[in-house]
Each structure stands twice: as C-alpha cells, then as structure tokens.
Amino acid sequence: MEAMDIQPSDVLLVIDVQNDFCPGGALAVPDGDAVVPTINALMQRFQHVILTQDWHPNGHSSFASSHPGAEPFDAIDMPYGTQTLWPDHCVQGTPGAAFHPELALDRAELIIRKGFRPAIDSYSAFFENDQQTPTGLTGYLRERGLNRVFCCGLATDFCVRFSAEDAVRQGFATRVLTEACRAIDRDASLAQAQQAMLAAGVVLC
Ligand code: VGL
Ligand code: ZN
C-alpha cells in the first residue's frame, strides 16, 4: 500500500464496518474488526471518504427468520434472482447496525445506507440486488468529479465484491484494498469473489 499513488479525485469507499459484521455480531465476519486500524489509517490519506451502512428494517426479506422453515445461509428464489438468507442483522437503529466504535467517522463526507427496502436486499453500494434500483452513489461521484474508487471493508465476498464490480460497470477505475477487507468465506465464496472481481476488471491490491 506504500506505493499507492492517491489523487485528489480518488475516493475511499468503506463498506459496512458495523458491529454485526465484527466478532460477537449477528453475522460476524472472522477477524472483521481487524480492518478498523487499517481503514482509519487509510482514511487520513484520501481527500474523499464515503461509508456504507447496511440498514435493514425488522422482518427484512433477506432474513431467514422471515421465511418459515428456512435456515440462515439457505438460498431462495426472489423475483430479482437467487438470494442468500442471513441471520437477522443490521436492523435499523440497533447497536448491531452501528459502525464499529473505533472506526474514525469524522472524515466521511457521505454515508450511504442500503438494504432498507423490505423486499430487496442490497449488497452493492451502487445498486440493490435487483441490479436496477440505484442508491445514488454513481450520481454523487460523477457530479463531484471523483473517478477512482478504492474499496475496503466487510465482507470481501459479498458487499465489497458487488460494490467493486458495479463501480467498474459504472465506469470508475476500481481497486480493492485486500488487506483492509475480511471475508465471510462460506462454500468457497471468497475464491469465487476474487475471480469475479478480476474478470470484471477490478484491481486487487
Ligand atoms: C453483507 C450479507 C448481508 C455484507 C450485508 O456487508 O457483506 N453480507 N448483508
Ligand atoms: Zn445485510
């Protein structure tokens, strides 16, 4: 990361560094809190920092508990495609949905909340899982003249992956800072995510 040449028009996109994705949380990513000091240091080096916050209403359709007989990590068919079911997590206003207490939020100029529509999950910071409903982030970046996106956070194989792939599709030069990410990694989902990101044109560094 020392060699990273950061420009004034670069943005650090910090994905879902929330209590529920850290050890002890409802959908804990192994070693998830280890990214906090790394991301805090990165935030000092970028002129633009944007955070995302997974932000689900109670009874969200991505929760296994909303589907009788289903278990967390089952896959089901939704009108927009296959959806993995999760334990209840990041419920609006709960401590689990709050950012990790040591994450230095002050330099963030925008916080994008996602996953708040009851019927659609949203992994990506750009589009919900129907791949059609925008969050507004593309417009924000374009209007502000920000053209390179550096992604970090949780989880590498879900929200970071889909954010990075969408960033490329929206025309942004996109990197994933792998040391500042951690993965859920179930059923080889990390290897699959790395392949998909590389195929999409994401630079992993
Ligand atoms: C995430 C699963 C469900 C993530 C969010 O942040 O990667 N994963 N909701
Ligand atoms: Zn979620």
Side-chain angles (χ1 to χ4, degrees):
M1 284 197 293
E2 281 62 46
M4 206 160 66
D5 174 30
I6 300 166
Q7 303 293 318
S9 57
D10 291 345
V11 61
L12 182 68
L13 182 60
V14 181
I15 307 287
D16 297 1
V17 183
Q18 294 167 257
N19 290 323
D20 269 343
F21 297 122
C22 292
L27 179 44
V29 176
D31 209 26
D33 56 344
V35 301
V36 173
T38 314
I39 292 175
N40 285 346
L42 281 168
M43 288 198 283
Q44 298 303 321
R45 298 171 58 191
F46 281 80
Q47 289 186 27
H48 304 278
V49 176
I50 296 176
L51 309 180
T52 66
Q53 191 170 25
D54 210 38
W55 195 249
H56 300 306
N58 253 316
H60 190 256
S61 56
S62 75
F63 295 169
S65 63
S66 304
H67 303 269
E71 299 286 336
F73 309 105
D74 286 354
I76 61 157
D77 290 325
M78 298 282 249
Y80 54 81
T82 305
Q83 170 70 49
T84 301
L85 296 178
W86 304 105
D88 291 21
H89 66 280
C90 296
V91 174
Q92 296 172 2
T94 63
F99 290 108
H100 187 285
E102 276 144 45
L103 188 68
L105 305 176
D106 292 1
R107 301 208 60 259
E109 62 188 42
L110 177 70
I111 298 174
I112 293 266
R113 286 176 169 167
K114 59 184 182 63
F116 51 77
R117 288 182 179 78
I120 320 181
D121 201 8
S122 186
Y123 296 148
S124 163
F126 293 88
F127 289 97
E128 304 202 8
N129 288 9
D130 62 0
Q131 294 178 305
Q132 284 176 9
T133 306
T135 63
L137 182 55
T138 301
Y140 181 88
L141 295 176
R142 291 223 178 106
E143 197 165 12
R144 300 291 310 278
L146 305 175
N147 47 34
R148 294 203 305 179
V149 177
F150 293 66
C151 304
C152 60
L154 307 172
T156 324
D157 38 353
F158 290 92
C159 291
V160 175
R161 169 193 170 177
F162 290 103
S163 297
E165 288 185 26
D166 279 349
V168 171
R169 278 190 208 112
Q170 295 300 291
F172 301 105
T174 308
R175 289 165 199 228
V176 168
L177 306 172
T178 51
E179 280 176 40
C181 298
R182 291 295 183 276
I184 295 173
D185 201 16
R186 286 182 71 100
D187 305 324
S189 55
L190 177 58
Q192 213 184 329
Q194 285 166 338
Q195 278 179 10
M197 288 191 283
L198 289 172
V202 175
V203 177
L204 303 181
C205 50

